Amino acid sequence: MMRVELEPAYVLHTRSYRETSMIVYALTEQYGVVHMVSRGARKKGNNNLQPFTKMYLSWSGRGDLVSLTKIEHEHSRYTSNFRAQVQCFYLHELILKLIPKLSPEPELFDLYECTLDSMINNPADEHVLRNFEMRLLAIMGHPLQFKYDYTNDEEVEAQLLYRYDPDLGPARVISQQQQWNIMTGDLLIHLNDNNLTENILPEAKIFLRGLVKHYLQGKPLMTRRLLKVN
């Protein structure tokens, strides 16, 4: 039986379970995404499992669903800004749908924490979401190769057009058809340098949303129904 004491964590999602309990989906520092049962969590007055709050969780059990045994709070990053709330829930959806449970990823915990702070402090900054999407894909094991045309190993050129293959990278094309993975070499250079200037952000958004959709494999994102997420 696994016993974990006071592990740093954030609650990503909760849902009702039986009469008074809840299933808790938490991102933890050392264990990745963990699914827990919080018994009695739905009783009146129980408000311990709020999002955007760094906490320390203890649990025990076997298998994929463990029992939450203790909660200690550090501090809350709660915001009343609707845009910031929905964008933060967008992060939660991506993590839950793209990262396998019990997959230890300390880098993901740090990325989430930094992104949460940046997004709450400045919810209109699109760079924050784009950076999160790219780094999340890299953590998943899909590092993004933007620098070279994979067909000839030549560096991409700003004035040319390329088609991006998620498994291989860019390859030069002639066609200018409108597809999420057809882009300019200029965008690829900016992505490679992590230099998303204001004029390049709209093109970067189309590409990265298409790339995320590719890896979601048809799984819907509910947050996009609440708000046109950046």
Side-chain angles (χ1 to χ4, degrees):
M1 176 182 291
M2 175 186 288
R3 292 184 183 276
V4 176
E5 295 293 332
L6 299 177
E7 168 73 6
Y10 287 90
V11 171
L12 301 179
H13 182 61
T14 60
R15 63 178 176 86
S16 300
Y17 180 68
R18 296 180 178 172
E19 292 186 3
T20 62
S21 300
M22 299 182 76
I23 302 292
V24 180
Y25 303 85
L27 175 63
T28 69
E29 186 172 35
Q30 297 298 324
Y31 298 88
V33 177
V34 180
H35 298 184
M36 313 175 187
V37 177
S38 179
R39 304 189 188 284
R42 294 169 58 205
K43 291 180 180 178
K44 186 176 181 180
N46 192 322
N47 200 31
N48 288 329
L49 294 166
Q50 294 300 305
F52 321 136
T53 301
K54 188 171 185 178
M55 53 188 72
Y56 296 87
L57 304 180
S58 300
W59 68 84
S60 64
R62 296 186 180 89
D64 294 341
L65 187 62
V66 296
S67 295
L68 180 61
T69 57
K70 188 176 183 180
I71 305 169
E72 291 186 6
H73 294 88
E74 181 177 293
H75 63 277
S76 174
R77 292 171 171 81
Y78 180 79
T79 174
S80 58
N81 183 289
F82 179 72
R83 181 188 182 95
Q85 284 185 356
V86 176
Q87 291 184 160
C88 290
F89 284 127
Y90 172 68
L91 306 185
H92 295 185
E93 278 202 285
L94 290 184
I95 293 171
L96 288 171
K97 293 186 178 184
L98 293 174
I99 301 295
K101 56 187 173 183
L102 296 175
S103 177
E105 295 289 356
E107 184 182 354
L108 175 58
F109 188 86
D110 293 339
L111 171 62
Y112 172 79
E113 196 164 54
C114 290
T115 304
L116 184 64
D117 281 338
S118 298
M119 196 168 290
I120 287 175
N121 290 331
N122 189 2
D125 187 354
E126 293 188 28
H127 299 82
V128 177
L129 276 177
R130 304 289 81 82
N131 181 66
F132 180 86
E133 289 163 343
M134 286 191 290
R135 291 184 61 189
L136 179 65
L137 293 176
I139 289 170
M140 288 172 58
H142 304 294
L144 305 180
Q145 192 283 105
F146 300 123
K147 191 172 184 178
Y148 300 101
D149 183 326
Y150 74 84
T151 65
N152 56 25
D153 292 329
E154 294 180 359
E155 290 194 17
V156 300
E157 299 181 35
Q159 72 276 15
L160 300 180
L161 281 176
Y162 295 86
R163 181 191 304 276
Y164 192 88
D165 184 304
D167 296 320
L168 299 171
R172 184 181 174 185
V173 293
I174 305 300
S175 170
Q176 298 190 33
Q177 57 187 322
Q178 296 294 315
Q179 294 180 352
W180 69 267
N181 60 341
I182 302 291
M183 68 202 67
T184 63
D186 186 47
L187 172 61
L188 290 165
I189 292 169
H190 278 80
L191 288 167
N192 185 69
D193 295 340
N194 196 20
N195 179 28
L196 298 182
T197 54
E198 292 300 322
N199 64 309
I200 212 78
L201 273 171
E203 194 178 353
K205 173 181 174 179
I206 292 170
F207 167 64
L208 288 168
R209 287 185 68 173
L211 193 59
V212 166
K213 184 177 180 180
H214 168 80
Y215 285 113
L216 284 169
Q217 297 181 329
K219 300 173 186 174
L221 291 173
M222 299 302 294
T223 42
R224 287 184 179 167
R225 300 180 186 180
L226 297 174
L227 179 70
K228 192 173 183 180
V229 176
N230 284 324

